[in-house]
Amino acid sequence: SSYASIAGVDERTTSYSLLDANAPNRYGDGGEGEAPRLLALALAESEDLRCVDIMCQFVGDACACRLARVLDRRGKWLKVLDVRGNGLRALPGVVWELRALEVLDASDNAIGVEDVPFDALIARDRNVAPSLRLLNISGNARIAEGLGSKRDEVVLALARAGVEVVA
């Protein structure tokens, strides 16, 4: 994978679909004789993020509801989340609760500035993605508009907090 520099991330610990990530006994706690931990979820330009819930306002479009359920269930050890190029309008809040998350690539979507807790990340709030090192939010026009003239200031503040931002 392109995230091979992240400790432990390899083909055994990477899932390319929500179905695989959520499969019983596919991923575990990585102990002796146990299934490996899910360390990376690679869903770039994935049909998996198309909503099939007829009760959802985004049915047929990219939606984070299925992603949220998988992250709730399997996100404990997740270090890499790649959801680039899916047209997502929002990121599920659970993303920011992932304690092991080091890399988040949410580039080329439709998420807004309200979906990224910039202040908490800058303050290094220990309850908000405390391990995050790389945040790619480029190609999200609503974030660019929302940050406006503060973009460079936010990127610099995050860099000082130990988070490299591609915006």
Side-chain angles (χ1 to χ4, degrees):
S1 78
S2 59
Y3 306 108
S5 63
I6 306 291
V9 174
D10 59 26
E11 289 303 311
R12 282 184 53 248
T13 60
T14 300
S15 179
Y16 298 92
S17 78
L18 293 176
L19 190 64
D20 175 63
N22 218 11
N25 307 317
R26 173 68 175 90
Y27 295 100
D29 285 335
E32 187 76 32
E34 290 185 33
R37 292 176 176 170
L38 176 62
L39 300 183
L41 192 49
L43 299 172
E45 299 177 11
S46 175
E47 286 299 311
D48 272 13
L49 297 178
R50 297 266 166 260
C51 191
V52 294
D53 180 353
I54 59 169
M55 299 303 287
C56 179
Q57 63 181 340
F58 301 124
V59 67
D61 292 331
C63 177
C65 58
R66 291 176 63 210
L67 176 62
R69 286 193 293 274
V70 169
L71 293 178
D72 267 337
R73 186 159 179 228
R74 301 284 187 180
K76 181 178 181 182
W77 307 107
L78 200 69
K79 293 182 178 190
V80 176
L81 178 59
D82 182 352
V83 292
R84 68 190 138 94
N86 282 294
L88 289 171
R89 292 180 187 87
L91 288 173
V94 68
V95 165
W96 308 108
E97 297 168 15
L98 299 174
R99 305 202 60 74
L101 189 67
E102 295 180 30
V103 176
L104 173 57
D105 188 342
S107 60
D108 301 320
N109 281 291
I111 58 177
V113 70
E114 67 280 0
D115 294 307
V116 182
F118 290 108
D119 292 337
L121 289 169
I122 289 167
R124 288 317 268 171
D125 180 327
R126 69 180 189 277
N127 295 312
V128 179
S131 302
L132 193 65
R133 296 188 331 212
L134 175 63
L135 174 62
N136 187 341
I137 49 173
S138 63
N140 285 284
R142 290 178 47 224
I143 288 180
E145 290 164 14
L147 289 177
S149 61
K150 293 184 177 178
R151 180 193 166 279
D152 291 344
E153 179 185 329
V154 168
V155 168
L156 185 60
L158 281 164
R160 283 195 204 109
V163 180
E164 178 189 344
V165 178
V166 181

